Amino acid sequence: MKRVSLAGLAGLVSGGAALVAAETTAAVLHPGSGPLAAVGGAVIDATPTAVKTWAIRRFGTDDKAVLLVGMLLVLALCAFCWGALGLRRRWAAPVGALLLAALGMIAALTRPDSRSVAEAVPSLVGGAVGTWLLLHLIGRLDGPRGTPVSPGSGSEAHWDRRGFVASATVAAAASVGASVLARSLGEARAGDALASRATLELPAAGSPAKPVAEGVERRVPGTKPFLTPTRDFYRVDTALVVPRVDAGTWRLRLRGTGVRRPLRLSFADLLDRELVERDITLTCVSNEIGGPYVGNARWIGVRLADLLREAGVAPPSRGGPADQLVSRSVDGMTLGTPLEDVMDGRDALLAVGMNGEPLPFAHGFPARMVVPGLYGYVSACKWVTDLELTAFADYDPYWVKRGWARRAPVKTQSRIDTPKPFARPRSGTVMVAGVAWAQRRGVERVELRVDDGPWRTVDLAEEHTRDTWRQWSFPWAATPGNHTLTVRATDGTGERQTRRRAPTVPDGASGWHSVVVTVD
Ligand SMILES: Nc1nc2c(c(=O)[nH]1)N[C@H]1C(S)=C(S)[C@@H](COP(=O)(O)O)O[C@H]1N2
Ligand SMILES: [Mo]
C-alpha cells in the first residue's frame, strides 16, 4: 500500500478514536450531548422543510439512521483526507482536528438543551486524542528517527511498517473497546430513567375509556386494528437520541401570561390527580394522502384544562390574555397549541400512559400532550417539561419558524388499506377496506368510486367517538382489467373531504386517496 493511503488509513483510525473519545466523554458528562447527536440535531434543525418532508416520506422512521450513516460517511471521508494531508503537512493534523472539534463544540453549545460550556469538552477531548494519535501514526510512516521519507528516494523500506501496523491495530482495538464501554456507561447513566419507568404502576383511571363496541372493529384482512398496538404506532420527532427522562426527578412547570398561580408538579403530583383514559386518533401533518403517520391509541393522563384552571388560566373566550399554550420538551422542542382548543371541553390530555402502559421513551415518557383534532406538531409535545401561556402574536414555536402553519386542525381524510396499490386480486368479490378520520367532527359517510363510475356509500363500522378514526369496508364485484379505486369521506358537519390536492406543508395534505389494481 502507498504511504499516502496508509496515512489516509491513519486518519480513519485517528478520526474513529477521536469520535469514540468524544462520545465516551459525553457519556460521562451528559448523556445525549455527544458531538454526533449535537451535529445531527443541528443538521435536522437546519434542514429545509422540503428536504425534511422528503426524508420523512422516503425513509420514514428510519430517517435518523440514514442521517447517522450519512454523517459517518462524510466524517470518514474527511478523516481520510486529514490523514493523507497530515503526512505532507504536519500542521494539518492539529488544524484538521481543530476544525472538526470546533464544529462539534459549536453544535453542542448551541443545542436548545445545552446546559453549560462543559458541553464543549467532549469535542475538545476528541480533537486532542485525534491529533496525538495521527501525529503518532504518521511518525511511524517516516524514516528512522523521524527523517521524512522523500518520495522516490528509494528509502521507503526504512519506514517502520511493523510499528505502524501495530500502533494502528492497537488504536483501532482500543477505540472499539472504549465505544463498548461508553455504550454500557450510557445505559448505566440511563438506569434511573429505566428504573423509574420499569417500577411505575399506573393507577386505574377515575374516568375509564368507553369500551370498544363489537361493531367498531372490522377485521378485514389487510387492514389495521382499531386500536394501534404501541409497537406499530408511528413515531415522528427530531430526537436523534431518544430522551430517557427519570420520572423521579422530572418536573412540569406551568407559567406565563394570565397564570395566577404558577404550578410546579412532580410525576407523583400528576398521579395523585384524577386520571382519565380516552381513545384518541393522533395524526401527523407530514402524513401524505394514503400515508401511515396516523394511529389510534388509548391514552391515560390528566386533563390539561384542569391543570390550567387550577393555575387560574382563562381561555380567550372568557377574557384570558393568552391564546397560545407553548409546550417545551426536555430536548428543547417547542410546540404551540390554541389555548381555546385545550379548554373547550375536548379530552386534551397530559398523557402518562399509552395502551395501558406507561408511555414508551420514544413516545414521550414520562408525560406528553395529546389534543384531539390537532396535528401532532401543534399539540402532542413529548417529554414535555414546561407549559407557557403566551400569545400567537408573541411567539413562534419550532415548526412555525420553519414554515408550517400556526394553527393546524386535522383535515378530513380517508384511506384504502386493502387492496394494496398494484395488487392483483382475482375477479369476483374483493373486499375493499380502510379507515377515515375527522377528529372532533366525526366521520358521517365514506364513499368509494371504481374508475369513473358512480360514488357508492360503503359500509361504515360503528363510530366509537368523534375523536377516533372509523373503519369501513365495501364488497366490490371486481371485473378483470385495470381499475382505480378512489375513496372520500364526509365529516359529521356534512362537509365532504376536498378533492383539491394540497401538499403536507404548511397545514396538512388534502385530496382523495386512490389505489390502482389489476384484476386477473
Ligand atoms: N418533543 C417532541 N415532541 C413532539 C415532536 C418532536 O419532534 N419533539 N414531534 C411531534 C409530531 S410532528 C408528532 S406527529 C407527534 C408524534 O407522536 P408519536 O411519535 O408518539 O407518534 O409528536 C409530536 N411531539
Ligand atoms: Mo407530525
Side-chain angles (χ1 to χ4, degrees), residues 277-289:
E277 192 172 40
R278 294 291 181 269
D279 298 336
I280 299 168
T281 298
L282 185 65
T283 321
C284 181
V285 71
S286 295
N287 195 46
E288 303 278 339
I289 302 297

Side-chain angles (χ1 to χ4, degrees), residues 56 64 233-239 243 282-286 293-295 299 327-335 354 359-360 362-364 368-370 374-384 398-399:
I56 290 177
K64 290 171 192 86
F233 206 93
Y234 79 92
R235 177 188 159 205
V236 170
D237 56 57
T238 59
L282 185 65
T283 321
C284 181
V285 71
S286 295
Y293 302 130
V294 51
W299 308 95
S327 47
R328 231 174 234 99
S329 72
V330 298
D331 64 341
M333 170 56 70
T334 52
L335 287 75
M354 179 180 187
L359 290 173
H363 292 289
R368 71 169 306 164
M369 290 183 28
V370 180
L374 305 179
Y375 285 118
Y377 85 102
V378 289
S379 65
C381 187
K382 306 194 272 190
W383 316 292
V384 61
Y398 185 92
W399 292 107

Side-chain angles (χ1 to χ4, degrees), residues 226 281 283 294 296 410-417 433-439 441-447 458-473 487-491 497 513:
F226 176 72
T281 298
T283 321
V294 51
N296 184 43
V410 173
K411 296 179 180 177
T412 301
Q413 271 301 332
S414 48
R415 188 177 77 188
I416 299 170
D417 288 326
V435 281
W437 59 89
Q439 293 92 314
R441 302 177 297 281
V443 172
E444 188 179 274
R445 190 162 39 156
V446 173
E447 294 162 290
V458 306
D459 191 7
L460 258 185
E462 229 172 85
E463 178 176 86
H464 182 50
T465 77
R466 284 189 296 157
D467 295 334
T468 51
W469 59 15
R470 213 166 158 182
Q471 299 183 334
W472 60 266
S473 57
V487 69
R488 71 179 185 195
T490 301
D491 73 14
Q497 174 185 341
H513 185 215

